[in-house]
Amino acid sequence: MDIHIVQPGDTMYRLAQQYGVPMERLIQDNQLPDPSHLVVGQTIVVQYPELTHTVRAGDSLYSIAQMHNTTVAQLLRNNPGLQGRDLVYPGQHIVVKYSSRPRGPLTVNAYAYPYVGRGLLQATLPYLSQLTPFTYRFDGDDLIPLQDEVLASAALQSRVAPIFHLSNLDSQDRFSPEQAHELLSDEEDQEELIQEILRTIDRKGYRGVDVDFEFVRGEDAEDYARFLTRLRRALAPRGLPLIAALAPKASAGQPGRLYEGIDYHLIAKAVDFALLMAYDWGNPASPPMAVAPLPQVRQVVEYALTEFRPGQIYLGVPNYGYDWTLPHREGSRAKSLSNVEAVQLAWDRRTAIRYDDQVQAPWFRYVDGQGAEHEVWFEDARSIQAKLNLAFDYRLHGIGVWNLDRPFPQGWAVVNAMADIRSEM
């Protein structure tokens, strides 16, 4: 795999000639909305087919996979134009294998809201080991239902492990330290909630649990770890793992409401895996900056490794960016946008995309129709490659993508090129 940075005068035809790859393959692999709209500084993922299959009458992805000793999921990953469906026709060229070799095995988890687009879900499932519908909430000892049947069923049909997600989000969509405190201080409520979680898991076919309590009070840190221990003990007879999604700490005593109740040392003993939510340094309320600057992400990983084994850790990876209005003012809010939308915005505003080598993230500035200046930070193929290299360098278990509700074909192409995606089924 190569990552091409678009230069002035580049066209897809010229890139196809330069890299010796059919133009149609470049367009399909990058799922470009309009191949004629290339932005200076934009990334193009270049993959080199090593083995292809020409579809004959009667072929299916299953028969092609059997013929070439591979899997349907791998064929779908290698051919994103199929959009996750077995829609082959005679004369079609299917990539069986690319020349690039993965750096190693990786578990790929992604979160999704129940209302994720069905077409987008279908197209993305082949790249996943696990799918985590977001989110089950609770009121006391009662589990609040989630319309997750479509997601859990689609995951199971694609041999992707659905993961049950529990959070302390309240009815206002805010992480509630009060709600967490009430549960963590009542062992009877915890036991009843755990039993309801187990019944839901059994009924819907979940293959693990992810707990994401945020803004836990410092005084509740030990009780939170005890709750996780109880839940893990309850899951053990079913052979199901427990994951804890953790605020991105860089030290044990890191101050701040987000961090004080999250004790990595205690939690490491209580769970099977930890998912480091290593993103949102750049966020709606912050000044303009990278969402997940690599030096800060590295600090979080290195601290986590003082308490967790590498094989216990998922690295959280963001699938979004932000658009800030300049000058940044206290109380102003940046607009969230997808990585694909960011590139389209750069095209619309006729501005080049730059790349910050220190934080490993793309960004640009533009002026809107009212004359206001904006700054945008997002993710591209280079920044995803940097994060995956970090996960491989530290031999982490996997990555956890927040979230797959917005398309990012290049990101998944990089995952496919770099990782031997584990099956957790």
Side-chain angles (χ1 to χ4, degrees), residues 49-286:
E50 182 177 289
L51 176 63
T52 62
H53 176 92
T54 303
V55 178
R56 298 168 297 194
D59 279 350
S60 67
L61 284 185
Y62 178 77
S63 68
I64 296 169
Q66 291 284 96
M67 191 182 311
H68 295 286
N69 193 30
T70 186
T71 65
V72 170
Q74 188 62 57
L75 292 178
L76 289 170
R77 290 194 286 268
N78 290 349
N79 299 273
L82 295 174
Q83 293 292 288
R85 296 175 174 86
D86 189 352
L87 298 175
V88 297
Y89 54 85
Q92 184 179 15
H93 298 294
I94 298 295
V95 176
V96 176
K97 184 190 296 185
Y98 284 107
S99 61
S100 60
R101 296 293 178 262
R103 281 199 61 180
L106 203 67
T107 293
V108 180
N109 186 316
Y111 294 93
Y113 286 100
Y115 51 76
V116 62
R118 296 301 175 252
L120 178 57
L121 176 65
Q122 188 74 30
T124 311
L125 278 170
Y127 300 92
L128 303 183
S129 313
Q130 301 167 327
L131 175 69
T132 306
F134 187 86
T135 173
Y136 277 88
R137 311 169 195 229
F138 60 91
D139 184 6
D141 59 1
D142 293 324
L143 194 64
I144 298 173
L146 179 68
Q147 301 300 314
D148 57 346
E149 290 82 5
V150 171
L151 269 66
S153 175
L156 289 167
Q157 289 175 16
S158 296
R159 299 196 57 77
V160 172
I163 303 296
F164 178 100
H165 188 270
L166 180 72
S167 73
N168 62 325
L169 274 184
D170 63 17
S171 59
Q172 305 301 312
D173 280 341
R174 295 175 299 197
F175 287 96
S176 169
E178 295 77 22
Q179 192 163 300
H181 175 77
E182 289 175 8
L183 177 69
L184 298 176
S185 59
D186 190 323
E187 293 187 8
E188 189 173 314
D189 277 359
Q190 291 176 42
E191 187 56 38
E192 292 184 17
L193 182 63
I194 288 171
Q195 291 306 313
E196 194 166 353
I197 290 170
L198 295 177
R199 288 191 292 270
T200 303
I201 286 172
D202 291 342
R203 188 170 71 254
K204 298 190 176 181
Y206 276 108
R207 301 303 175 93
V209 174
D210 177 359
V211 178
D212 176 12
F213 281 14
E214 300 187 27
F215 296 100
V216 176
R217 296 174 181 171
E219 66 196 73
D220 291 329
E222 292 186 8
D223 285 337
Y224 183 36
R226 278 192 282 267
F227 168 66
L228 292 172
T229 299
R230 287 191 190 95
L231 179 53
R232 184 188 188 192
R233 193 176 298 129
L235 293 170
R238 291 166 168 79
L240 301 180
L242 176 61
I243 305 165
L246 304 181
K249 298 180 71 167
S251 65
Q254 187 166 340
R257 292 176 56 243
L258 185 60
Y259 311 106
E260 290 167 357
I262 305 300
D263 188 317
Y264 278 27
H265 179 72
L266 296 176
I267 291 172
K269 300 175 182 178
V271 301
D272 298 292
F273 299 100
L275 192 153
L276 307 178
M277 295 185 286
Y279 37 74
D280 251 21
W281 278 269
N283 62 69
S286 77

Side-chain angles (χ1 to χ4, degrees), residues 307-326:
E307 302 292 354
F308 294 91
R309 300 186 309 276
Q312 286 184 283
I313 296 175
Y314 292 79
L315 176 62
V317 175
N319 180 31
Y320 57 93
Y322 288 111
D323 178 347
W324 288 266
T325 302
L326 301 178

Side-chain angles (χ1 to χ4, degrees), residues 394-413:
Y394 287 99
R395 302 179 183 275
L396 306 186
H397 179 72
I399 61 170
V401 178
W402 177 265
N403 58 53
L404 64 77
D405 291 61
R406 292 167 166 173
F408 186 27
Q410 282 194 351
W412 297 115

Side-chain angles (χ1 to χ4, degrees), residues 289-425:
M289 65 180 297
V291 173
L294 202 67
Q296 285 90 325
V297 172
R298 187 185 301 275
Q299 277 189 313
V300 170
V301 170
E302 290 179 348
Y303 168 61
L305 286 170
T306 67
E307 302 292 354
F308 294 91
R309 300 186 309 276
Q312 286 184 283
I313 296 175
Y314 292 79
L315 176 62
V317 175
N319 180 31
Y320 57 93
Y322 288 111
D323 178 347
W324 288 266
T325 302
L326 301 178
H328 175 73
R329 293 185 175 88
E330 191 72 28
S332 65
R333 303 283 293 180
K335 175 186 174 183
S336 175
L337 77 174
S338 75
N339 302 312
V340 174
E341 288 170 337
V343 175
Q344 182 61 47
L345 181 59
W347 167 265
D348 291 341
R349 295 299 171 183
R350 300 297 189 266
T351 188
I353 294 169
R354 309 182 208 180
Y355 194 78
D356 188 313
D357 288 318
Q358 180 179 358
V359 301
Q360 291 288 306
W363 67 283
F364 61 88
R365 287 182 178 169
Y366 72 93
V367 177
D368 66 23
Q370 285 71 49
E373 190 175 13
H374 293 246
E375 186 165 311
V376 176
W377 289 81
F378 62 107
E379 302 292 328
D380 69 4
R382 291 168 290 185
S383 66
I384 296 300
Q385 182 184 50
K387 293 174 181 62
L388 290 178
N389 276 329
L390 186 67
F392 282 118
D393 289 345
Y394 287 99
R395 302 179 183 275
L396 306 186
H397 179 72
I399 61 170
V401 178
W402 177 265
N403 58 53
L404 64 77
D405 291 61
R406 292 167 166 173
F408 186 27
Q410 282 194 351
W412 297 115
V414 173
V415 170
N416 183 41
M418 295 184 65
D420 179 8
I421 299 172
R422 288 193 187 97
S423 172
E424 297 287 350
M425 292 286 288

